[in-house]
Amino acid sequence: MSDELILVDEHDNTVGYDEKLRVHQLGLLHRAFSVFLFNDAGELLIQQRALSKYHSGGLWANSCCSHPRRGESLAQATQRRLQEELGIACPLQPAGHIIYRAEVPPSLIEHEYDHLFTGNYNGTFSLNPQEVAAVRWISLTELKKELQSHPQQFAEWFKVIAGKFPPLQIAIS
């Protein structure tokens, strides 16, 4: 069941379920979430995806992102993935949503109704090497510079969200 995604319409109503790889091959709209953790210095935690991931391996992305499972609330899903990826628990606040579609090389499509969450965290991490290669804190000023000078080092969805999500609005265009 963990490889099954929840298909939704443009209002986030469930319209079905399908296998994860197939959903990304066909670009079907599905439910997802993205977490953005900030420390007390106002820096954003970004993660480098494990090289073994079936797409976007080795690219930098937001603190944590994934898909809820069938019957799992967004609150449960975000806490599950924070634990599975970063080895932490952290209170999160809903911060809206975006719908986006992004081509993911070589031939996949992320088309998500993406629920956005923010949180504050200043502790240590216990990274799962099957999910995360590295993490680092970065100022929004430095992130903007890196997105502009080395966009190929970032996941496609992160580049889309960075330009639209108010806590990040770093005007990468």
Side-chain angles (χ1 to χ4, degrees):
M1 190 155 55
S2 63
D3 287 328
E4 182 181 68
L5 300 186
I6 302 168
L7 304 178
V8 297
D9 64 16
E10 65 278 358
H11 303 291
D12 198 33
N13 297 307
T14 301
V15 297
Y17 305 90
D18 208 336
E19 193 270 327
K20 184 177 183 178
L21 182 57
R22 178 178 149 78
V23 168
H24 289 128
Q25 290 170 329
L26 299 176
L28 303 176
L29 184 61
H30 59 282
R31 186 173 297 142
F33 61 85
S34 292
V35 175
F36 298 84
L37 297 178
F38 294 89
N39 63 19
D40 286 346
E43 297 168 315
L44 174 67
L45 180 76
I46 57 175
Q47 73 156 265
Q48 184 181 33
R49 293 169 55 85
L51 293 173
S52 60
K53 301 292 276 184
Y54 82 100
H55 75 74
S56 307
L59 298 181
W60 289 95
N62 47 291
S63 309
C64 175
C65 58
S66 192
H67 311 93
R69 295 176 176 160
R70 187 190 292 225
E72 183 178 49
S73 71
L74 285 165
Q76 292 168 327
T78 55
Q79 292 303 315
R80 172 179 55 81
R81 289 305 288 171
L82 283 173
Q83 189 59 234
E84 290 173 355
E85 293 183 17
L86 304 173
I88 67 168
C90 176
L92 299 174
Q93 297 78 44
H97 73 275
I98 65 167
I99 297 174
Y100 74 91
R101 182 181 169 91
E103 303 287 325
V104 178
S107 61
L108 299 176
I109 302 165
E110 281 285 13
H111 189 195
E112 295 186 333
Y113 189 106
D114 197 8
H115 294 267
L116 308 174
F117 294 86
T118 59
N120 181 265
Y121 186 78
N122 293 285
T124 59
F125 302 97
S126 179
L127 304 181
N128 177 346
Q130 294 178 333
E131 298 288 339
V132 182
V135 294
R136 65 185 168 119
W137 294 104
I138 188 168
S139 72
L140 296 185
T141 301
E142 187 60 32
L143 178 61
K144 177 180 178 178
K145 289 178 190 174
E146 288 190 26
L147 282 165
Q148 290 174 336
S149 62
H150 303 289
Q152 73 282 1
Q153 294 179 0
F154 293 89
E156 292 301 320
W157 65 88
F158 183 64
K159 292 184 279 191
V160 171
I161 294 170
K164 295 183 177 186
F165 185 36
L168 295 184
Q169 296 212 304
I170 54 178
I172 62 170
S173 57

